[in-house]
Coordinates of all heavy atoms in Angstrom, one line a residue:
M1 N 103.7 -43.1 175.4 CA 102.6 -42.3 174.8 C 101.3 -42.8 175.4 O 101.0 -44.0 175.6 CB 102.6 -42.6 173.3 CG 101.5 -41.9 172.6 SD 101.5 -41.9 170.8 CE 100.7 -43.5 170.5
T2 N 100.5 -41.8 175.7 CA 99.1 -42.1 176.2 C 98.1 -42.1 175.1 O 98.1 -41.2 174.3 CB 98.7 -41.0 177.2 OG1 99.7 -40.9 178.3 CG2 97.3 -41.3 177.8
I3 N 97.3 -43.2 175.1 CA 96.3 -43.3 174.0 C 95.0 -42.6 174.5 O 94.6 -42.7 175.6 CB 96.1 -44.8 173.7 CG1 95.2 -44.9 172.4 CG2 95.5 -45.6 174.8 CD1 95.1 -46.3 171.8
G4 N 94.4 -41.9 173.5 CA 93.1 -41.3 173.8 C 92.0 -42.3 173.7 O 92.1 -43.3 173.0
I5 N 90.9 -42.0 174.4 CA 89.7 -42.9 174.3 C 88.5 -42.0 174.0 O 88.2 -41.0 174.7 CB 89.4 -43.5 175.7 CG1 90.6 -44.3 176.2 CG2 88.2 -44.4 175.6 CD1 91.0 -45.5 175.4
S6 N 87.9 -42.2 172.8 CA 86.7 -41.4 172.4 C 85.5 -41.7 173.3 O 85.4 -42.8 173.9 CB 86.4 -41.7 170.9 OG 85.8 -43.0 170.8
D7 N 84.6 -40.8 173.3 CA 83.3 -41.0 174.1 C 82.6 -42.2 173.5 O 82.0 -43.0 174.3 CB 82.4 -39.8 174.0 CG 83.0 -38.6 174.8 OD1 83.9 -38.8 175.6 OD2 82.5 -37.5 174.5
H8 N 82.6 -42.4 172.2 CA 82.0 -43.5 171.6 C 82.6 -44.9 172.0 O 81.9 -45.8 172.4 CB 82.1 -43.4 170.0 CG 81.5 -44.6 169.3 ND1 80.1 -44.7 169.1 CD2 82.1 -45.7 168.8 CE1 79.9 -45.9 168.5 NE2 81.1 -46.5 168.2
A9 N 83.9 -44.9 172.0 CA 84.6 -46.2 172.5 C 84.3 -46.5 173.9 O 84.0 -47.6 174.3 CB 86.1 -46.0 172.2
L10 N 84.3 -45.4 174.8 CA 84.0 -45.6 176.2 C 82.6 -46.1 176.4 O 82.3 -47.1 177.1 CB 84.2 -44.3 176.9 CG 83.9 -44.4 178.4 CD1 84.9 -45.4 179.1 CD2 84.1 -43.0 179.0
L11 N 81.6 -45.6 175.6 CA 80.2 -46.0 175.7 C 80.1 -47.4 175.3 O 79.4 -48.3 175.9 CB 79.3 -45.1 174.9 CG 77.9 -45.4 174.9 CD1 77.3 -45.3 176.3 CD2 77.1 -44.4 174.0
R12 N 80.7 -47.8 174.2 CA 80.7 -49.2 173.7 C 81.3 -50.1 174.7 O 80.8 -51.2 174.9 CB 81.4 -49.3 172.3 CG 80.6 -48.7 171.2 CD 79.3 -49.4 171.0 NE 78.4 -48.5 170.3 CZ 77.2 -48.0 170.8 NH1 76.8 -48.3 172.0 NH2 76.5 -47.3 170.0
F13 N 82.4 -49.7 175.3 CA 83.0 -50.6 176.3 C 82.1 -50.8 177.5 O 81.9 -51.9 178.0 CB 84.3 -50.0 176.8 CG 85.0 -50.7 178.0 CD1 85.7 -51.9 177.7 CD2 84.8 -50.3 179.3 CE1 86.3 -52.6 178.8 CE2 85.3 -51.0 180.3 CZ 86.1 -52.2 180.1
L14 N 81.5 -49.7 178.0 CA 80.5 -49.9 179.1 C 79.4 -50.8 178.7 O 78.9 -51.6 179.6 CB 80.0 -48.5 179.5 CG 81.0 -47.6 180.2 CD1 80.4 -46.2 180.4 CD2 81.4 -48.2 181.5
S15 N 78.8 -50.7 177.5 CA 77.7 -51.5 177.1 C 78.0 -52.9 176.8 O 77.3 -53.8 177.1 CB 76.9 -50.8 176.0 OG 77.7 -50.9 174.8
R16 N 79.2 -53.2 176.3 CA 79.6 -54.5 175.8 C 80.4 -55.3 176.9 O 80.1 -56.5 177.1 CB 80.3 -54.5 174.5 CG 79.4 -54.0 173.4 CD 80.1 -53.9 172.1 NE 79.1 -53.4 171.1 CZ 79.4 -52.7 170.1 NH1 80.6 -52.3 169.9 NH2 78.4 -52.3 169.2
A17 N 81.4 -54.7 177.5 CA 82.2 -55.4 178.4 C 81.8 -55.2 179.9 O 81.9 -56.0 180.7 CB 83.7 -54.9 178.3
G18 N 81.2 -54.0 180.1 CA 80.8 -53.7 181.5 C 79.4 -54.0 181.9 O 79.0 -53.9 183.0
G19 N 78.6 -54.6 180.9 CA 77.3 -54.9 181.2 C 76.3 -53.8 181.5 O 75.3 -53.9 182.2
F20 N 76.7 -52.6 181.0 CA 75.9 -51.4 181.2 C 74.8 -51.3 180.2 O 75.1 -51.4 179.0 CB 76.9 -50.2 181.0 CG 76.5 -48.9 181.7 CD1 76.4 -48.8 183.1 CD2 76.1 -47.8 181.0 CE1 76.1 -47.6 183.7 CE2 75.7 -46.7 181.6 CZ 75.7 -46.6 182.9
D21 N 73.6 -51.2 180.6 CA 72.4 -51.3 179.7 C 72.1 -49.9 179.2 O 71.3 -49.2 179.7 CB 71.2 -51.9 180.4 CG 70.0 -52.2 179.5 OD1 70.1 -51.8 178.3 OD2 69.1 -52.8 180.0
V22 N 72.7 -49.6 178.0 CA 72.6 -48.3 177.4 C 71.1 -48.0 176.9 O 70.6 -46.9 177.1 CB 73.6 -48.1 176.3 CG1 73.4 -46.8 175.5 CG2 75.0 -48.2 176.8
E23 N 70.5 -49.0 176.4 CA 69.1 -48.8 175.9 C 68.1 -48.5 177.0 O 67.2 -47.7 176.8 CB 68.7 -50.0 175.0 CG 69.5 -50.2 173.7 CD 69.5 -48.9 172.9 OE1 68.4 -48.2 172.7 OE2 70.5 -48.5 172.4
T24 N 68.3 -49.1 178.1 CA 67.4 -48.7 179.3 C 67.6 -47.3 179.7 O 66.6 -46.6 179.9 CB 67.7 -49.7 180.5 OG1 67.3 -51.0 180.1 CG2 66.8 -49.3 181.7
L25 N 68.9 -46.8 179.7 CA 69.1 -45.4 180.0 C 68.5 -44.5 179.0 O 68.0 -43.5 179.3 CB 70.6 -45.2 180.1 CG 71.3 -45.8 181.3 CD1 72.8 -45.6 181.3 CD2 70.8 -45.1 182.6
R26 N 68.6 -44.9 177.7 CA 68.0 -44.1 176.6 C 66.5 -44.0 176.8 O 66.0 -42.9 176.7 CB 68.3 -44.8 175.2 CG 67.8 -43.9 174.1 CD 67.9 -44.7 172.7 NE 69.2 -45.4 172.6 CZ 70.3 -44.9 172.1 NH1 70.3 -43.6 171.7 NH2 71.4 -45.6 171.9
T27 N 65.9 -45.1 177.1 CA 64.4 -45.1 177.4 C 64.1 -44.2 178.6 O 63.1 -43.4 178.5 CB 63.9 -46.5 177.6 OG1 64.2 -47.2 176.4 CG2 62.4 -46.5 177.8
Q28 N 64.9 -44.3 179.6 CA 64.6 -43.4 180.8 C 64.8 -41.9 180.5 O 64.0 -41.1 180.9 CB 65.6 -43.8 181.9 CG 65.3 -45.1 182.5 CD 66.3 -45.6 183.5 OE1 67.4 -45.1 183.6 NE2 66.0 -46.6 184.3
M29 N 65.7 -41.6 179.7 CA 65.9 -40.2 179.3 C 64.7 -39.7 178.4 O 64.2 -38.6 178.6 CB 67.2 -40.0 178.5 CG 68.4 -40.0 179.4 SD 70.0 -39.8 178.4 CE 69.8 -38.1 177.8
Q30 N 64.3 -40.6 177.5 CA 63.2 -40.2 176.6 C 61.9 -40.0 177.4 O 61.2 -39.0 177.2 CB 62.9 -41.3 175.6 CG 64.0 -41.4 174.5 CD 63.8 -42.6 173.6 OE1 63.5 -43.7 174.1 NE2 64.2 -42.5 172.4
T31 N 61.7 -40.9 178.4 CA 60.5 -40.7 179.3 C 60.6 -39.4 180.1 O 59.6 -38.7 180.2 CB 60.4 -41.9 180.2 OG1 60.3 -43.1 179.4 CG2 59.2 -41.8 181.1
A32 N 61.8 -39.1 180.6 CA 62.0 -37.9 181.4 C 61.8 -36.7 180.6 O 61.3 -35.6 181.2 CB 63.4 -37.9 182.1
L33 N 62.1 -36.7 179.3 CA 62.0 -35.5 178.5 C 60.7 -35.4 177.7 O 60.5 -34.4 177.0 CB 63.2 -35.4 177.6 CG 64.6 -35.3 178.3 CD1 65.7 -35.5 177.3 CD2 64.7 -34.0 179.0
A34 N 59.9 -36.4 177.8 CA 58.7 -36.4 177.0 C 57.8 -35.2 177.1 O 57.3 -34.7 176.1 CB 57.9 -37.7 177.2
R35 N 57.5 -34.8 178.4 CA 56.6 -33.7 178.6 C 57.2 -32.4 178.0 O 56.5 -31.6 177.4 CB 56.3 -33.5 180.1 CG 55.1 -32.6 180.3 CD 54.7 -32.6 181.8 NE 55.5 -31.5 182.4 CZ 55.6 -31.3 183.7 NH1 55.1 -32.2 184.5 NH2 56.3 -30.3 184.2
C36 N 58.4 -32.2 178.2 CA 59.1 -31.0 177.7 C 59.1 -31.0 176.1 O 58.9 -30.0 175.5 CB 60.5 -30.9 178.2 SG 60.6 -30.7 179.9
S37 N 59.3 -32.2 175.6 CA 59.3 -32.3 174.1 C 57.9 -32.0 173.6 O 57.8 -31.3 172.5 CB 59.7 -33.8 173.8 OG 59.6 -34.0 172.4
A38 N 56.9 -32.5 174.2 CA 55.5 -32.2 173.8 C 55.2 -30.7 173.8 O 54.6 -30.1 172.9 CB 54.5 -32.9 174.6
A39 N 55.7 -30.0 174.9 CA 55.5 -28.5 175.0 C 56.3 -27.8 173.9 O 55.8 -26.9 173.3 CB 55.9 -28.1 176.4
A40 N 57.5 -28.3 173.6 CA 58.3 -27.6 172.5 C 57.6 -27.8 171.2 O 57.6 -26.9 170.4 CB 59.7 -28.2 172.6
D41 N 57.1 -29.0 171.0 CA 56.4 -29.3 169.7 C 55.2 -28.4 169.5 O 55.0 -27.9 168.4 CB 55.9 -30.8 169.6 CG 57.1 -31.7 169.4 OD1 58.2 -31.3 169.0 OD2 56.9 -32.9 169.6
A42 N 54.5 -28.1 170.6 CA 53.3 -27.3 170.5 C 53.7 -25.8 170.2 O 52.9 -25.1 169.6 CB 52.6 -27.3 171.9
L43 N 54.9 -25.5 170.5 CA 55.4 -24.1 170.2 C 56.3 -24.1 168.9 O 56.8 -23.1 168.5 CB 56.3 -23.6 171.3 CG 55.6 -23.4 172.7 CD1 56.6 -23.1 173.8 CD2 54.6 -22.3 172.6
S44 N 56.4 -25.2 168.2 CA 57.2 -25.4 167.0 C 58.6 -25.1 167.3 O 59.4 -24.7 166.4 CB 56.6 -24.5 165.9 OG 55.3 -24.9 165.5
A45 N 59.1 -25.3 168.5 CA 60.5 -25.1 168.8 C 61.3 -26.4 168.4 O 60.9 -27.5 168.6 CB 60.7 -24.9 170.3
T46 N 62.4 -26.1 167.7 CA 63.3 -27.2 167.3 C 64.6 -27.2 168.0 O 65.3 -28.2 167.9 CB 63.5 -27.2 165.8 OG1 64.2 -25.9 165.4 CG2 62.2 -27.3 165.0
R47 N 65.0 -26.1 168.6 CA 66.3 -26.0 169.4 C 66.0 -25.4 170.7 O 65.5 -24.3 170.8 CB 67.3 -25.2 168.6 CG 67.7 -25.7 167.3 CD 68.5 -24.7 166.5 NE 68.9 -25.3 165.3 CZ 70.1 -26.0 165.1 NH1 70.9 -26.1 166.1 NH2 70.4 -26.5 164.0
Y48 N 66.2 -26.2 171.8 CA 65.9 -25.8 173.1 C 66.7 -26.5 174.2 O 67.3 -27.5 173.8 CB 64.4 -25.8 173.4 CG 63.8 -27.2 173.2 CD1 63.7 -28.1 174.3 CD2 63.4 -27.7 172.0 CE1 63.1 -29.4 174.1 CE2 62.8 -28.9 171.8 CZ 62.7 -29.8 172.9 OH 62.2 -31.0 172.7
T49 N 66.6 -26.1 175.4 CA 67.3 -26.8 176.5 C 66.2 -27.1 177.5 O 65.2 -26.4 177.6 CB 68.4 -25.9 177.2 OG1 67.8 -24.7 177.6 CG2 69.5 -25.6 176.2
V50 N 66.5 -28.2 178.3 CA 65.6 -28.6 179.4 C 66.5 -28.7 180.6 O 67.5 -29.4 180.6 CB 65.0 -29.9 179.1 CG1 64.2 -30.4 180.3 CG2 64.1 -29.8 177.8
K51 N 66.2 -28.0 181.7 CA 66.9 -28.1 182.9 C 66.1 -29.1 183.8 O 64.9 -28.8 184.1 CB 67.0 -26.7 183.6 CG 67.9 -26.8 184.8 CD 68.2 -25.4 185.4 CE 69.2 -25.5 186.6 NZ 69.5 -24.2 187.1
K52 N 66.7 -30.2 184.2 CA 66.1 -31.2 184.9 C 67.1 -31.9 185.8 O 68.1 -32.3 185.3 CB 65.4 -32.2 184.0 CG 64.6 -33.3 184.7 CD 63.7 -34.0 183.7 CE 62.9 -35.1 184.3 NZ 62.1 -34.7 185.4
D53 N 66.7 -32.1 187.1 CA 67.6 -32.9 188.0 C 69.0 -32.3 188.1 O 70.0 -33.1 188.1 CB 67.6 -34.4 187.6 CG 66.2 -35.0 187.7 OD1 65.4 -34.6 188.5 OD2 66.0 -35.9 186.9
G54 N 69.1 -31.0 188.0 CA 70.5 -30.4 188.1 C 71.3 -30.4 186.8 O 72.5 -30.1 186.9
M55 N 70.7 -30.9 185.8 CA 71.5 -31.0 184.5 C 70.7 -30.2 183.4 O 69.5 -29.9 183.6 CB 71.6 -32.4 184.1 CG 72.5 -33.2 185.0 SD 72.7 -34.9 184.5 CE 71.1 -35.6 185.1
V56 N 71.4 -29.9 182.3 CA 70.8 -29.2 181.2 C 70.9 -30.1 180.0 O 72.0 -30.5 179.6 CB 71.5 -27.9 180.9 CG1 70.9 -27.2 179.7 CG2 71.3 -26.9 182.1
F57 N 69.7 -30.5 179.4 CA 69.7 -31.3 178.2 C 69.5 -30.4 177.0 O 68.6 -29.6 177.0 CB 68.5 -32.3 178.4 CG 68.6 -33.2 179.5 CD1 68.2 -32.8 180.8 CD2 69.0 -34.5 179.3 CE1 68.3 -33.7 181.9 CE2 69.1 -35.4 180.4 CZ 68.8 -35.0 181.7
V58 N 70.4 -30.6 176.0 CA 70.3 -29.7 174.8 C 69.6 -30.6 173.7 O 70.1 -31.6 173.4 CB 71.7 -29.3 174.4 CG1 71.6 -28.5 173.1 CG2 72.4 -28.5 175.5
I59 N 68.5 -30.0 173.2 CA 67.7 -30.7 172.2 C 67.8 -29.9 170.9 O 67.5 -28.7 170.9 CB 66.2 -30.8 172.7 CG1 66.0 -31.2 174.1 CG2 65.4 -31.7 171.7 CD1 66.6 -32.6 174.5
V60 N 68.1 -30.7 169.8 CA 68.2 -30.1 168.5 C 67.5 -31.0 167.6 O 67.8 -32.2 167.4 CB 69.7 -29.9 168.0 CG1 69.7 -29.3 166.6 CG2 70.4 -28.9 169.0
D61 N 66.4 -30.5 166.9 CA 65.7 -31.2 165.9 C 65.2 -32.6 166.5 O 65.3 -33.6 165.8 CB 66.5 -31.4 164.6 CG 66.8 -30.1 163.9 OD1 66.0 -29.1 164.1 OD2 67.8 -30.0 163.3
G62 N 64.7 -32.5 167.7 CA 64.1 -33.7 168.3 C 65.1 -34.7 168.8 O 64.7 -35.9 169.2
V63 N 66.4 -34.4 168.9 CA 67.4 -35.3 169.4 C 68.2 -34.6 170.6 O 68.6 -33.5 170.4 CB 68.4 -35.7 168.3 CG1 69.5 -36.5 168.8 CG2 67.7 -36.3 167.2
C64 N 68.3 -35.3 171.7 CA 69.1 -34.8 172.8 C 70.6 -35.0 172.3 O 71.1 -36.1 172.2 CB 68.8 -35.5 174.1 SG 69.8 -34.9 175.4
V65 N 71.3 -33.9 172.1 CA 72.6 -33.9 171.5 C 73.7 -33.9 172.6 O 74.8 -34.3 172.3 CB 72.9 -32.8 170.5 CG1 71.9 -33.1 169.3 CG2 72.7 -31.4 171.0
T66 N 73.4 -33.4 173.8 CA 74.4 -33.4 174.8 C 73.7 -33.1 176.2 O 72.5 -32.6 176.2 CB 75.5 -32.3 174.6 OG1 76.6 -32.6 175.5 CG2 75.1 -30.9 174.8
V67 N 74.4 -33.4 177.2 CA 73.9 -33.1 178.6 C 75.0 -32.4 179.3 O 76.1 -32.9 179.4 CB 73.5 -34.4 179.3 CG1 73.0 -34.1 180.7 CG2 72.5 -35.2 178.5
L68 N 74.7 -31.3 179.9 CA 75.6 -30.5 180.6 C 75.3 -30.6 182.1 O 74.2 -30.6 182.5 CB 75.5 -29.0 180.2 CG 75.6 -28.8 178.7 CD1 75.3 -27.3 178.4 CD2 77.0 -29.1 178.2
D69 N 76.4 -30.8 182.9 CA 76.1 -31.0 184.4 C 76.1 -29.7 185.2 O 75.5 -29.6 186.2 CB 77.1 -31.9 185.0 CG 78.6 -31.5 184.9 OD1 78.8 -30.5 184.2 OD2 79.4 -32.1 185.5
K70 N 76.8 -28.6 184.7 CA 76.8 -27.4 185.4 C 77.1 -26.3 184.4 O 78.0 -26.4 183.6 CB 77.8 -27.3 186.5 CG 77.9 -26.1 187.3 CD 78.9 -26.0 188.3 CE 79.0 -24.7 189.0 NZ 80.1 -24.6 189.9
I71 N 76.2 -25.3 184.4 CA 76.5 -24.1 183.6 C 76.3 -22.8 184.4 O 75.4 -22.8 185.3 CB 75.7 -24.0 182.3 CG1 74.2 -24.1 182.6 CG2 76.0 -25.2 181.4 CD1 73.3 -23.9 181.4
D72 N 77.1 -21.8 184.2 CA 77.1 -20.6 185.0 C 76.2 -19.6 184.4 O 75.8 -18.6 185.0 CB 78.5 -20.1 185.3 CG 79.3 -21.0 186.1 OD1 78.8 -21.7 187.0 OD2 80.5 -21.1 185.8
K73 N 75.9 -19.7 183.1 CA 75.1 -18.7 182.4 C 74.1 -19.4 181.5 O 74.3 -20.6 181.2 CB 76.0 -17.7 181.6 CG 76.9 -18.4 180.6 CD 77.8 -17.4 180.0 CE 78.7 -18.1 179.0 NZ 79.6 -17.1 178.3
P74 N 73.1 -18.7 181.0 CA 72.2 -19.4 180.1 C 72.9 -20.0 178.9 O 73.8 -19.4 178.3 CB 71.2 -18.3 179.7 CG 71.3 -17.3 180.8 CD 72.8 -17.4 181.3
Y75 N 72.5 -21.2 178.5 CA 73.0 -21.9 177.3 C 72.1 -21.6 176.1 O 70.9 -21.8 176.2 CB 73.1 -23.4 177.6 CG 73.8 -24.1 176.5 CD1 75.1 -24.3 176.5 CD2 73.1 -24.7 175.4 CE1 75.8 -25.0 175.5 CE2 73.7 -25.4 174.4 CZ 75.1 -25.5 174.5 OH 75.7 -26.2 173.5
I76 N 72.7 -21.1 175.0 CA 71.9 -20.7 173.9 C 72.3 -21.8 172.8 O 73.4 -22.0 172.4 CB 72.3 -19.3 173.4 CG1 71.9 -18.3 174.4 CG2 71.6 -19.0 172.0 CD1 72.4 -16.9 174.2
V77 N 71.2 -22.4 172.3 CA 71.4 -23.4 171.2 C 71.4 -22.6 169.9 O 70.4 -22.1 169.5 CB 70.3 -24.4 171.2 CG1 70.6 -25.5 170.1 CG2 70.2 -25.1 172.6
R78 N 72.6 -22.5 169.3 CA 72.7 -21.7 168.1 C 72.5 -22.5 166.8 O 72.7 -23.7 166.8 CB 74.1 -21.0 168.0 CG 74.4 -20.1 169.2 CD 75.6 -19.4 169.0 NE 76.1 -18.7 170.1 CZ 75.7 -17.5 170.6 NH1 74.7 -16.9 169.9 NH2 76.1 -17.0 171.7
E79 N 72.1 -21.8 165.7 CA 72.0 -22.4 164.4 C 73.4 -22.8 163.9 O 74.3 -22.1 164.2 CB 71.3 -21.5 163.4 CG 69.8 -21.2 163.7 CD 68.9 -22.3 163.4 OE1 69.3 -23.1 162.5 OE2 67.9 -22.4 164.1
E80 N 73.5 -23.9 163.2 CA 74.8 -24.2 162.6 C 75.1 -23.2 161.5 O 74.2 -22.8 160.7 CB 74.7 -25.6 162.0 CG 74.7 -26.7 163.0 CD 74.7 -28.1 162.4 OE1 75.4 -28.2 161.3 OE2 74.1 -29.0 162.9
H81 N 76.3 -22.8 161.4 CA 76.7 -21.9 160.3 C 77.3 -22.8 159.2 O 78.3 -23.5 159.4 CB 77.7 -20.9 160.8 CG 77.1 -20.0 161.9 ND1 76.3 -19.0 161.5 CD2 77.3 -20.0 163.2 CE1 75.9 -18.4 162.6 NE2 76.5 -18.9 163.7
R82 N 76.7 -22.7 158.1 CA 77.2 -23.5 156.9 C 77.8 -22.5 155.9 O 77.2 -21.5 155.6 CB 76.1 -24.3 156.3 CG 75.6 -25.3 157.3 CD 74.6 -26.2 156.8 NE 74.1 -27.1 157.9 CZ 73.3 -28.1 157.7 NH1 72.9 -28.4 156.5 NH2 73.0 -28.8 158.7
P83 N 78.9 -22.9 155.3 CA 79.5 -22.0 154.3 C 78.7 -21.9 153.0 O 77.9 -22.7 152.7 CB 80.9 -22.7 154.0 CG 80.8 -24.0 154.6 CD 79.7 -24.1 155.5

């Protein structure tokens, strides 16, 4: 049987066993997205994407929730549907 590895576990392994400095990467991403975030705030946008360095950063309520490396069509950040 093959065991699955969650993204969270992989990230923790990289940061704890692999010496990967996750907090430095977080700071670098925040710095890279700061200007776009300020522009979105000025427009009162809470859900948007930022295309930078060949990647698409998906921002929801002030948090980068995912990063896409390649998309073939525009990515639309949809509202959550709650029952």
Side-chain angles (χ1 to χ4, degrees):
M1 178 172 86
T2 302
I3 188 167
I5 306 294
S6 72
D7 291 345
H8 175 79
L10 181 60
L11 182 61
R12 289 297 162 242
F13 175 80
L14 289 172
S15 67
R16 294 178 178 148
F20 202 69
D21 189 354
V22 175
E23 290 309 314
T24 296
L25 289 174
R26 183 188 318 273
T27 301
Q28 290 173 344
M29 285 179 66
Q30 287 171 327
T31 300
L33 297 172
R35 195 174 91 195
C36 298
S37 175
D41 286 346
L43 297 170
S44 297
T46 60
R47 296 171 176 271
Y48 56 95
T49 60
V50 175
K51 187 173 183 180
K52 183 169 178 57
D53 299 328
M55 294 180 282
V56 176
F57 298 81
V58 179
I59 315 298
V60 177
D61 297 330
V63 177
C64 180
V65 295
T66 194
V67 181
L68 309 170
D69 62 351
K70 181 183 177 186
I71 57 174
D72 296 324
K73 58 184 179 178
Y75 186 87
I76 299 171
V77 184
R78 300 189 192 278
E79 293 286 333
E80 289 184 36
H81 295 287
R82 298 184 184 189

